[in-house]
Amino acid sequence: MKIFSKRWAAAAALTTMFAAPALAGQYPERPVTLVVGYAAGGATDIVARLVAKSLAEELGQPFVIENKTGANSNIGAEIVSRAAPDGYTLYVGSIANTINRTLYSQLNYDFVKGFEPIGLLATIPNILVVNPKVPVKTVQEYIAYAKSNPGKLTCASSGTGSSIHLSCELFKMKTGADILHVPYRGSGPAVADLLGGQVDSMFDNLPSSLPHVQAGKLRPIGVTSPQRLDSLPDTPTLAESGLPGFDVESWFGLVAPAGTPKPVIDRLNQALNKALVGQALQASYKQSGFYAPQPPNTPESFGKKIASEIDKWGAVIKSADIKAN
């Protein structure tokens, strides 16, 4: 019996040793679904579609986008957390998911325990834009207008607790301006109402507003990054506009359900990093306003970022006493 047990253990070890590379080599054998927790047209959706195209080319299978909207992306995250851990249903996570960890008193998923990090997809600054009918052209004029019209100037967001919303709340904290927050189910619908004049302003993710800025349909007031952007060199940062230290960066990353085999995670990470340095994706990022993450972009480094972002935004939410609707 002991001899049989030893032989069985040795055979099992060899099977495991050779199975992992085989699994990685075979994956994917059918289309992969990327779930986005926001509506089509927003920054999360845009980056998901750009990366999906490059991953499909790298791995030889279609990467199909599914928009599962609602609850500041929590609905999409919950769906994927319950999916089979086989690498065929992935989630395009964002800064919102680390914010939601504190924002919501109860969630039906755990963004740390329920997922395996794969890697960062992109980072972007937010941009303060106004409808051209609003009579302001600078950050200081925006502040003055808000203070002379308390509670009347509106600021749209992709949802309560999103980085777009928290950018506005941070702005209000630093300036004392009384601005009315108007949440939407995604950046796309919010930008649509901003263009139509139903709302006045928005700290939008750069990619979804940039085309409208370039077309003259939205007026840029300031950017939340520490430096000015190459795509908008004449638009000052909020820091240089009288708000030193104002720095908000949105990010997007790919995660899989907990328990997804490590060879699959590693294969996806390798394909992602190869796509990120490809000329096609770099050109698309530059045109859309995204920034590729700096190496090393590993599952481990992304996991550490998720943990640090949970701590950072948890402190902001508690300080501002922000509650989910």
Side-chain angles (χ1 to χ4, degrees), residues 15 20 28 41 66 73 109 128 170 172-173 177 184 209 217 221 235 238 262 269-270 277 287 289 292 297 304:
T15 300
E66 286 191 4
S73 78
Y109 71 95
L128 174 55
L170 182 60
K172 289 161 64 175
M173 290 171 58
Y184 285 79
S209 278
K217 296 179 180 179
I221 299 298
T235 302
L238 269 71
K262 190 175 186 301
N269 177 265
Q270 292 166 6
V277 298
Q287 182 179 3
N297 183 30
K304 290 179 181 179

Side-chain angles (χ1 to χ4, degrees), residues 44 52-53 71 114 133 136 163 206 216 221-222 234 236 245 277 287 290 322:
T44 311
K53 181 179 179 181
K133 294 181 181 179
V136 300
S163 70
L206 178 66
I221 299 298
D234 296 328
V277 298
Q287 182 179 3
F290 290 104
I322 301 172

